Amino acid sequence: MSSTKQPADLSSEWSNDVRMNALFAPLQNKDLNPESWNAKILFWINLIERWSSENSVAILDVSELKHVFERNGKIPHCLPDIIEEAVVRRKFFPPDVHLQNIGVTHQTWGSWAVSLGTSAVKSLGSKVIGTRVSSFTVPNSIEKMEKLVTEQILQHSKIIQGSQFNYIEDKQLETILNEIKHQHSREYTLKVLKQKRTLVQLNIENRVFYKIIESDKSTKIDEVDKGILHLKVNLERIEREIETLENRIKEEKIKAKKSLQEGSKSAAKSCLKRKKRLDGNLEQLLSQQLNLEKIYEDIMQAKSNKTIHQAYESGLAAMKTMVDSSMIDKTHATMSELAELLDMNQEISDATVMKDNAEIGDLEADLQDLLDEEEHENLDDIARDKQTPETNFQIALDNLEKCDIHDLEPVIGKKETKNLVTSS
C-alpha cells in the first residue's frame, strides 16, 4: 500500500486558518444557519471519505479519528456530531449494520429498514439517537478495497482452477489481505467478501478453502466443489510423497555403496532390499498420480454441470481407493516400517534369509551392477589420479620425440623470391 495520506494532502482549505477554525468548532444549531451547517457537514464527510479511501482504512474509530485530523495542536470538536449526521444520511454505517445491509441494493430507507427487521432498526436507532457511534465504516472505501482484493485473488499464481469456478486456500488469501495494513479493516474486508458471498468457505481435510463466486453464479457448495479440492489436496500430497521416496531411494543406494566399500555385502543387500521396496511404493504412487490427474483433466474439460458430474462419478471409485484411503495408507506405512525393522534385525544378526529365489537373483544382479558401477568409478578416479604434472610432462616429451625435425621448425612467413634475369 502507498504511504499514509495526511489531511493537508487531501484538502485545499486545510492551510486556511480562519476557515479551519470555523470548521473545527462545535456544530451549532442547524436552524441558526442551515446553509453553513450543511456545508460544514459535507466538508467533513467528504474529507473523511477521501482519507479512508486513500489510506485503505475501512473501519474508523471516532476517538482515533480526532487525532488524525489534529491541526496545530487542536482537534475537531464537531467530529462526533458530524459522524452522527453522516450515519443518519447513510453515508457511514456502524459495522454490524453495514454487514446486515449488504446484499440489499436499490432500496429506499424505509424498505431497507423493513428488510432489516425490527430488532435491527432498534439497534441502528440506539446508535444514532442518544448513543454516540464509537466506530463506523465508509461504504465507498470498503467497496474499493473489496474490488481490489477480488482482482488480486483472481490473478494469484496459486489459484485453483475449476471448470466453472475458481478456489483459493486461506493461506494464499491471507497474503493478499495482508497488503491492507490496518488490521481491523483487513478483518472487516474478509467479512464483507464472505457476507456478499463473493467468497464461500469450505473445509477439506482440515484445510480451509474459499470458492470464488463471480457475477450471479450459484453460491452453493456441491460434491463437485469438494471433489475438485479433494483431488488437488491429494495430488499435492502425492507429489510430496514422491519427492520423499525419490530422496530415500537415493539414500539407500548411497548406503549400499558405502557398505560395499566397507566390505559388508550383507548390509549392502539390506539397503538394496529397502530400495526395491521403495521403488515399488514409488511406482504405485506414480500410478495414483496419473489416475488422479486424468480425473482432474476430465472435470476441467467438462462444459456443463451434467458432464462435470459424469466426469466426477467416473472417477469416484478410484478416488475412494486413493483419495479417501487414509486407513489404507496408514496400514501400508505400518507394514513398511515393520519390514524395515525386520531388515535391520537381519542385518544385526547377519543371518539374511531370502525365501523367494527370484528375489535373491534380482538382489544379486543389483548388487553386481552396483559393484560394476563402483569399479568403473574407481577406475575413473585412478585414471584421474595418474594425470599428475610429472606424467603429463613425460607424455608431452614422448610426443615431442615422435615429431619430425621439420615439425619443430617455427613457421615464419618468407618473402617470395624473384628470379633475376640478367641481360647478356
Side-chain angles (χ1 to χ4, degrees):
M1 294 291 175
S2 59
S3 57
T4 303
K5 293 285 187 180
Q6 301 300 326
D9 303 322
L10 305 173
S11 173
S12 58
E13 297 181 84
W14 196 260
S15 59
N16 187 326
D17 290 338
V18 176
R19 173 66 172 152
M20 293 311 300
N21 285 336
L23 291 170
F24 266 53
L27 199 62
Q28 301 296 321
N29 191 314
K30 180 180 179 180
D31 295 335
L32 296 177
N33 191 337
E35 185 176 346
S36 174
W37 185 89
N38 191 58
K40 188 172 184 176
I41 296 290
L42 290 177
F43 170 84
W44 281 109
I45 288 177
N46 291 334
L47 182 58
I48 292 170
E49 280 186 333
R50 288 195 64 189
W51 185 90
S52 169
S53 177
E54 292 291 336
N55 294 296
S56 298
V57 179
I59 298 292
L60 296 94
D61 184 273
V62 176
S63 59
E64 292 178 2
L65 208 57
K66 289 178 181 179
H67 297 288
V68 168
F69 294 115
E70 184 175 336
R71 183 181 181 276
N72 297 334
K74 297 179 181 180
I75 61 173
H77 296 287
C78 61
L79 210 54
D81 291 327
I82 298 290
I83 304 301
E84 297 292 350
E85 179 61 25
V87 170
V88 171
R89 296 186 181 193
R90 298 182 66 205
K91 292 292 186 180
F92 305 153
F93 289 95
D96 55 341
V97 175
H98 177 246
L99 285 174
Q100 293 178 64
N101 188 30
I102 285 175
V104 184
T105 56
H106 308 296
Q107 291 188 357
T108 63
W109 170 268
S111 59
W112 172 74
V114 171
S115 68
L116 284 179
T118 306
S119 60
V121 174
K122 289 180 178 178
S123 173
L124 178 61
S126 66
K127 289 180 172 63
V128 176
I129 303 170
T131 304
R132 291 295 189 186
V133 175
S134 59
S135 63
F136 63 95
T137 184
V138 181
N140 290 340
S141 298
I142 191 63
E143 186 175 344
K144 176 184 174 182
M145 290 167 63
E146 88 176 77
K147 182 179 179 181
L148 179 62
V149 169
T150 303
E151 289 175 354
Q152 291 177 335
I153 289 172
L154 294 173
Q155 295 170 5
H156 199 278
S157 60
K158 291 190 176 180
I159 193 172
I160 301 170
Q161 293 185 339
S163 57
Q164 295 186 349
F165 295 96
N166 297 320
Y167 311 85
I168 191 167
E169 192 169 3
D170 61 342
K171 294 177 181 178
Q172 281 73 48
L173 179 60
E174 185 177 350
T175 62
I176 295 172
L177 289 171
N178 282 341
E179 291 295 315
I180 302 173
K181 302 305 180 185
H182 189 252
Q183 180 182 348
H184 293 310
S185 298
R186 183 166 62 244
E187 295 169 353
Y188 189 74
T189 301
L190 178 57
K191 287 182 180 180
V192 169
L193 289 168
K194 292 168 72 174
Q195 185 73 4
K196 281 192 171 183
R197 308 290 283 176
T198 302
L199 297 177
V200 181
Q201 181 176 327
L202 65 162
N203 300 329
I204 301 293
E205 298 188 17
N206 298 320
R207 291 166 63 177
V208 178
F209 294 88
Y210 292 95
K211 181 178 180 179
I212 305 164
I213 311 297
E214 299 180 69
S215 64
D216 297 326
K217 293 183 178 179
S218 171
T219 62
K220 182 182 178 182
I221 299 294
D222 56 25
E223 291 302 314
V224 173
D225 298 315
K226 296 176 183 177
I228 289 173
L229 293 176
H230 270 297
L231 282 169
K232 293 300 292 184
V233 166
N234 283 274
L235 279 170
E236 289 175 5
R237 175 183 60 81
I238 288 175
E239 286 175 6
R240 291 193 300 269
E241 291 182 4
I242 287 173
E243 183 179 358
T244 300
L245 276 176
E246 288 175 339
N247 290 333
R248 290 185 64 190
I249 289 169
K250 290 177 183 177
E251 290 173 3
E252 291 299 337
K253 188 174 181 180
I254 292 171
K255 288 179 183 178
K257 284 186 176 182
K258 186 177 180 181
S259 297
L260 282 177
Q261 292 171 354
E262 295 172 351
S264 179
K265 190 175 180 181
S266 61
K269 279 187 177 181
S270 296
C271 292
L272 288 177
K273 283 167 61 182
R274 287 193 288 271
K275 178 181 174 297
K276 287 182 73 68
R277 187 180 298 110
L278 294 172
D279 284 335
N281 291 343
L282 178 60
E283 185 178 352
Q284 183 182 13
L285 278 178
L286 289 172
S287 177
Q288 289 181 2
Q289 184 185 46
L290 187 63
N291 290 334
L292 290 179
E293 285 176 344
K294 178 63 170 62
I295 297 169
Y296 185 73
E297 288 172 6
D298 288 344
I299 293 175
M300 287 293 293
Q301 292 172 3
K303 299 185 182 298
S304 66
N305 283 335
K306 182 178 180 180
T307 51
I308 290 173
H309 279 285
Q310 287 173 348
Y312 180 75
E313 288 172 0
S314 67
L316 193 57
M319 287 179 65
K320 284 183 177 178
T321 59
M322 290 181 288
V323 177
D324 300 325
S325 58
S326 58
M327 292 304 295
I328 296 174
D329 290 340
K330 289 177 182 177
T331 303
H332 282 311
T334 303
M335 293 303 292
S336 180
E337 290 174 5
L338 180 59
E340 289 188 18
L341 287 172
L342 289 172
D343 285 342
M344 291 172 64
N345 185 59
Q346 288 175 334
E347 185 177 336
I348 293 170
S349 63
D350 198 23
T352 304
V353 179
M354 303 292 288
K355 294 183 179 180
D356 190 341
N357 292 329
E359 187 177 351
I360 294 175
D362 290 342
L363 280 178
E364 290 292 345
D366 290 344
L367 193 61
Q368 187 59 47
D369 289 342
L370 202 60
L371 285 167
D372 293 342
E373 183 180 332
E374 187 70 18
E375 184 178 355
H376 182 71
E377 290 176 355
N378 290 337
L379 289 173
D380 289 342
D381 291 339
I382 292 170
R384 282 193 296 271
D385 291 340
K386 287 183 177 180
Q387 298 297 320
T388 61
E390 292 78 8
T391 56
N392 289 336
F393 181 68
Q394 185 60 45
I395 292 170
L397 285 177
D398 292 342
N399 291 334
L400 196 62
E401 289 293 334
K402 295 176 184 178
C403 292
D404 189 85
I405 188 66
H406 298 294
D407 296 329
L408 300 177
E409 292 182 353
V411 178
I412 302 175
K414 297 179 181 180
K415 293 182 179 179
E416 185 179 354
T417 59
K418 296 182 178 179
N419 294 327
L420 298 176
V421 180
T422 56
S423 60
S424 54

